[in-house]
Amino acid sequence: MNTNAQPPAPAPSSAPSPAPAPSSSPAPASSPAPSRSSLPAPRVRVVVTALVAALAGAALLTAPDPASAARQDTTAAATATTSGAPGARGGSVGGVRAVGAARGAPAGPGYYRGRAFDTCEAPSLAVMKAWRSSPYGAVGIYFGGRGRGCPVQRELSRDWVASVHAMGWRLLPLFVGSQAPCVISTAKRPFALGSSPWSQGTREAGEAVRAAGALGLDASSPLYLDIEAYRAGDARCAATTLSFVRAWSREVRRLGYVPGFYSSVETGVRDIEAQRRAGTKDLPAVMWFARWGRPALYTETVLDPQAWTPHARIHQYAGNVSEAYGGRRLLIDRNTMDAPVARVAPTADLKSPLSAP
């Protein structure tokens, strides 16, 4: 994530046009934000509305401009499956089945489609309030794991989680645990996997679920395992890492949460996709892939177009970008997403988030 020592692979030249960058950001070059057209005259409004409706379905099958979907929060009830790898469109896809909530059944994850950011340390409530003026509607939080770049999270607490959720933010919980034995980042090498990756993955999954629960992140929330880029082509290292990821995903799913996965497209993502094609079980339900360049949520070449859909993809397309909103500046990674977000337990006697200084 934004603590990577080495950036993910650049985007292929065939990627779609980039999302508009906020005017306050010195982000990598991107096309200017499209201007808003004026409202149609009353006599043609019905015709325009019909055309928009007709085109809407087709637009969802292409790579949409993330800004056009900002803060489109879809919280349809769903239940996590316990089946194996993600499949194609329809039915059980990405490890999450979108269904109507059965009476008495536990609530499933909500989905958010739009722009998201993550930053190493959870910002203060005042900053989160100021950033409601930004184009982002979801935020990644590093809630646990021995490999976190910012292990001391001064702001992150159960009250913080409930407060920012009440402000309208949707949350993406990130767990940075043990890393591949051949991890590239020197800062992550002290956290390399040992000789028992399966038992280590199972143990760290339990740690992740306990940490999530302590913050008020309810069951059916996604928990995203962060595996940083590792040496490509090292079969033994990849096999060890896969064993850890599968054990972690299996245990997180067994404990009632939704296992997600973050990595670089050229290492972790490519290897997990190969396992999906091979029919391997116990894979992550949601794919968060890093390729810095242009947003390509639905057109990433490493992933099959029908894999990890619907509501099961996040693309990190820029990193270490400085942006400011409401007079508050942060160093962030930029993401576009259509994926599950955390379910937050209510907190009694919580002060209004709008009263934050």
Side-chain angles (χ1 to χ4, degrees):
M1 308 303 271
N2 75 348
T3 57
N4 286 359
Q6 178 162 325
S13 59
S14 60
S17 300
S23 59
S24 59
S25 168
S30 62
S31 59
S35 60
R36 295 180 181 273
S37 60
S38 59
L39 292 174
R43 289 180 296 177
V44 298
R45 186 170 296 154
V46 174
V47 176
V48 172
T49 301
L51 288 173
V52 170
L55 293 172
L60 291 175
L61 301 179
T62 62
D65 173 7
S68 67
R71 296 185 182 140
Q72 182 178 346
D73 188 11
T74 54
T75 53
T79 55
T81 67
T82 55
S83 60
R89 290 185 188 274
S92 177
V93 187
V96 175
R97 185 184 299 276
V99 295
R103 180 173 297 180
Y111 305 114
Y112 174 79
R113 182 171 182 265
R115 300 176 82 174
F117 78 91
D118 62 270
T119 188
C120 191
E121 187 174 347
S124 69
L125 290 178
V127 172
M128 295 303 294
K129 178 183 175 183
W131 271 56
R132 287 306 291 157
S133 63
S134 76
Y136 303 102
V139 57
I141 54 172
Y142 292 87
F143 75 98
R146 68 190 189 108
R148 282 184 295 179
C150 296
V152 178
Q153 296 282 335
R154 294 169 294 183
E155 300 289 340
L156 191 56
S157 67
R158 191 181 184 97
D159 283 353
W160 185 95
V161 165
S163 293
V164 298
H165 189 263
M167 289 182 194
W169 289 102
R170 296 299 170 253
L171 303 179
L172 303 170
L174 284 148
F175 183 87
V176 192
S178 296
Q179 298 293 305
C182 57
V183 63
I184 294 172
S185 169
T186 55
K188 301 299 182 185
R189 289 175 187 170
F191 313 110
L193 284 161
S195 59
S196 302
W198 189 273
S199 60
Q200 202 165 349
T202 301
R203 183 172 65 253
E204 292 190 25
E207 176 188 338
V209 167
R210 288 190 297 273
L215 289 173
L217 304 174
D218 270 353
S220 292
S221 293
L223 304 180
Y224 293 94
L225 177 64
D226 183 329
I227 295 292
E228 295 295 318
Y230 51 87
R231 188 167 59 245
D234 188 327
R236 183 175 181 179
C237 177
T240 299
T241 306
L242 174 65
S243 180
F244 173 79
V245 173
R246 289 183 61 211
W248 192 91
S249 299
R250 180 176 182 174
E251 184 68 0
V252 164
R253 187 179 278 115
R254 187 186 73 82
L255 294 173
Y257 286 73
V258 178
F261 178 73
Y262 165 90
S263 194
S264 167
V265 291
E266 297 302 342
T267 52
V269 173
R270 186 181 292 277
D271 289 343
I272 292 294
E273 168 64 358
Q275 294 299 318
R276 184 199 65 80
R277 291 171 187 258
T280 302
K281 296 183 178 180
D282 298 319
L283 296 183
V286 190
M287 181 61 76
W288 189 337
F289 58 96
R291 186 192 290 276
W292 293 359
R294 297 178 175 181
L297 185 61
Y298 303 108
T299 57
E300 167 53 48
T301 56
V302 166
L303 299 175
D304 185 281
Q306 294 185 326
W308 283 283
T309 61
H311 310 309
R313 287 193 183 196
I314 305 174
H315 179 198
Q316 182 190 96
Y317 62 90
N320 300 324
V321 178
S322 179
E323 294 188 28
Y325 299 97
R328 304 292 186 132
R329 184 167 293 277
L330 293 174
L331 188 67
I332 68 167
D333 296 335
R334 292 174 174 170
N335 306 273
T336 180
M337 64 176 288
D338 179 5
V341 291
R343 295 183 63 244
V344 176
T347 299
D349 302 323
L350 181 69
K351 294 180 180 179
S352 170
L354 299 181
S355 64

